[in-house]
Amino acid sequence: MYKEPLDSTSSSNQESTLGFEFRGDGWEYFKIWIVNVLLTIITIGLYSPWAKVRNKRYFYSNLFLNNQSFRYLADPFSIFKSRLIAIGALIVYTFVYFTYPIVGLALGLLLIISIPYFINKSIEFNHRMSAYNNIQFRFKGSYFGAVMVLLVWPLLGLLTLGMLYPLAWLKMNQYIVNNSSYGTSKFNFTATAGDYYKIFFICLGTLIPVGGIAFAIMTFATGYSFIGAVLIGVAYVGTIVYFMVSTANLFYSSLMLDPHSFQSELTIMGMLKVMLINLFFTIITLGLYFPAAQVRMTKYISSCIAMNAHGSLDSFVAAEKENVSALGEEMGEVFDFA
Amino acid sequence: MISIKGYFYDGQTSKRHQGRLDVYPDSNLVSLHIYNEHDRPIKEQYAMDDLKIESRLGQTEREIVIQEDKLFVSDDHDSIDLLCEHTNHHPFNSLLHKLENHIGLVVVFTLLTIVSIWSTVVYGVPYMAKSIADKLPTVVEEQFGTGLDVLDNSILYPSELDEKTQQELRIFFQPYLEAHPHLKPKVAFRTGVGPNAFALPHGQIVLTDELVEMVENHHELLPVLFHELGHIEHKHLVRRALQDSMVALVILFITGDVESMDIMAGIGALIIDLTHSKEFEREADHYAIKKLAEFNISTDYFVTVMKRFSNYKKDKISEQDNPHYKAITDFLSTHPPTEERIALIKQFDNK
């Protein structure tokens, strides 16, 4: 059963490409998922933190790199407590909002001010609860940094009618990646603004001419207007898939965990095939295929990503112990900002 | 003694060591043997209580956490299951894996899930939406826009009916609209979507030029007008908006996954729309027929205008006479089949 991991203790500069691999199985996950769904229903939702952890564990424990799997460590009970607090906060907020609108407004303002804080805590929690080779991931973001990428940069994007969105996106990913670490080793994000503008302009360069042609057909050759509609549909779907694939490729291939780097080769056709199969089966099974669809998508994405390892992966060192509550994550889910 | 072969991580570095865990349940002792490539094996002693065994999950490796930060993984599930019986491992955790692997139970669970979701979505949600809509203060309803401006900017165009016809129709509709003062109905004319009529919030009713041109006399428009008034009277728009958002909540509650909401909520909304839009139409038809009777207008107009709609559709898409095709289009259609709508009149006349 055990394949030996890459043995690189002898030569520390050995280079190798290690592919990610998802070993989950659609039917196996369906069985786990359906038990979780029913237990959630009959406990009117109380079981959902346990379901969430079990589902997540399935995806982490089946994700392999160098024949060793990831782990999801969260304790369902701590998620349960945080969720209760978050729901309590929502109830108080709603009640106050309708009875003392002024106080409600102040609370709302307080919530907006605390969103960057909770988002930081949420990322921190998710990193802290993810481990590979018994070394946890970490995230250390500042409040100011979060305000910049969550509010200021998107606002600048909006004010410039989208011209600064690619830059805003780069800043967002830089913020997340550069503040992340695996144990004590920090991640680096190497993408440039040019990389994001390239994707942005390819999308615009497809949508605008095709839209123009389609509009012309629909205006001047009304008998063929369905061709115009089909054209818009194809260009729209194609652009969305291109956008998903190219931003994912850019993200993963820009990750650095010095001296190791990553590569990602998702393709439009590969992604489209997975999406169409998933869509088809999910619809004809009225949603029962959903868990298997998640497995197929994860399998596909993992199979396209690889790590370019320079030397051994044995020498990562664990970071200091710290405790992070799930409150940020649960506030985000209950108030819908994460 | 239970002996488990696997791998060990010390929690300090990412290095994996081959290892063996020997457990002596009687004496409550655990000894861990760690093998290194070069040195002699290391042996460490722990108590049983230092071990935390993660529950079995599919084919994944079994994880045993030692003193919170050390990790031992193994795929020797049998030995670990045996070990679980001797530790304070919670029995519920082993039960889960048994449930997940009992094919009969999985089938039963699936059926139970389908039944409970189906009944919630098809019966519970519409019922709740109806009782909420009935109690909803009009103030809240007024916060919705009419949405006519949105439609004007997308699929509708200004009416091409001459001013005289429009004025004539307005005067003709006047008494019937005035009979519904609590709905504050207003009629507008537009073109662009074929012969059609629809009700928007705030009592806004839209009739299309094509509809006005399709009928031969103004009286045929009354069943349509009453039908739309029926939609407003029964608050169908508010109910539908409530239903769709409640379905989204139900789905979110079940999948617990915000990211992949779209398609699942879409399917839920589709089911509820398919099963309930026809019911809304029937309710509106009932209302129309009741009103025709109240105003002493012949129900023949209802039949005539229904036939006109269905002839128009037949001309347009040259519907095939294939019965399967018909069954499918009937299910997918938002309105009940024409024959059924006409049959409603006969039922009503017999009463």
Side-chain angles (χ1 to χ4, degrees), chain A residues 1-5 7 9 27-28 30-41 44-48 52 54-55 57-58 61-62 64 66-72 132-135 182 278-279 282-283 286-288 290 294 313-318 321 333 336 338, chain B residues 5-7 9-16 18 37-38 54-61 63 65 67-71 73-76 92-93 96-97 99-103 106 108-110 112-114 116-118 252-258 260 263-264 267 270-271:
Chain A
M1 166 74 194
Y2 284 110
K3 296 175 203 160
E4 274 307 303
D7 179 32
T9 40
W27 168 236
E28 186 180 63
F30 172 79
K31 295 186 290 184
I32 292 166
W33 182 83
I34 198 79
V35 170
N36 279 333
V37 167
L38 193 69
L39 288 176
T40 304
I41 292 174
I44 35 172
L46 291 178
Y47 187 72
S48 71
K52 173 179 168 171
R54 199 163 173 80
N55 288 344
R57 267 186 67 205
Y58 188 81
S61 293
N62 276 304
F64 282 78
N66 199 23
N67 274 319
Q68 298 169 76
S69 73
F70 285 73
R71 271 184 84 206
Y72 185 66
Y132 173 69
N133 285 2
N134 205 24
I135 301 287
Y182 172 57
N278 281 349
L279 186 69
T282 307
I283 287 174
L286 296 177
L288 283 178
F290 176 71
Q294 280 182 304
L313 297 184
D314 288 349
S315 51
F316 290 104
V317 178
K321 267 195 196 178
E333 287 194 356
D336 197 21
Chain B
K5 279 186 183 154
Y7 289 96
Y9 300 91
D10 61 12
Q12 305 301 310
T13 74
S14 55
K15 183 159 174 53
R16 177 166 95 162
Q18 282 202 336
E37 287 97 2
H38 314 296
E54 294 286 357
S55 59
R56 190 167 176 176
L57 177 68
Q59 299 297 314
T60 62
E61 285 170 359
E63 297 147 349
V65 181
Q67 286 184 337
E68 291 191 356
D69 56 356
K70 303 178 186 68
L71 176 70
V73 296
S74 167
D75 65 350
D76 187 355
F92 181 70
N93 288 330
L96 278 179
H97 182 74
L99 290 179
E100 289 157 2
N101 282 280
H102 191 296
I103 196 79
V106 167
V108 171
F109 274 44
T110 310
L112 282 175
T113 305
I114 294 172
S116 53
I117 295 176
W118 182 268
L252 181 64
F253 170 76
I254 290 158
T255 60
D257 183 2
V258 192
S260 41
I263 180 171
M264 297 294 275
I267 290 173
L270 190 70
I271 293 178

Side-chain angles (χ1 to χ4, degrees), chain B residues 23 296 324 336 341:
Chain B
V23 184
N296 276 323
H324 297 295
R341 300 181 74 175

Side-chain angles (χ1 to χ4, degrees), chain B residues 19 44 71 73 87 110 112 167 208 220 224 227 252 261 331:
Chain B
E44 293 175 0
L71 176 70
V73 296
T87 60
T110 310
L112 282 175
Q167 200 52 39
T208 65
E220 287 177 25
V224 179
H227 175 96
L252 181 64
M261 264 300 287
F331 179 69

Side-chain angles (χ1 to χ4, degrees), chain B residues 193-213:
Chain B
V193 286
N196 211 331
F198 36 90
L200 300 171
H202 297 283
Q204 181 69 63
I205 292 170
V206 178
L207 302 180
T208 65
D209 294 0
E210 293 85 345
L211 173 70
V212 175
E213 282 153 13

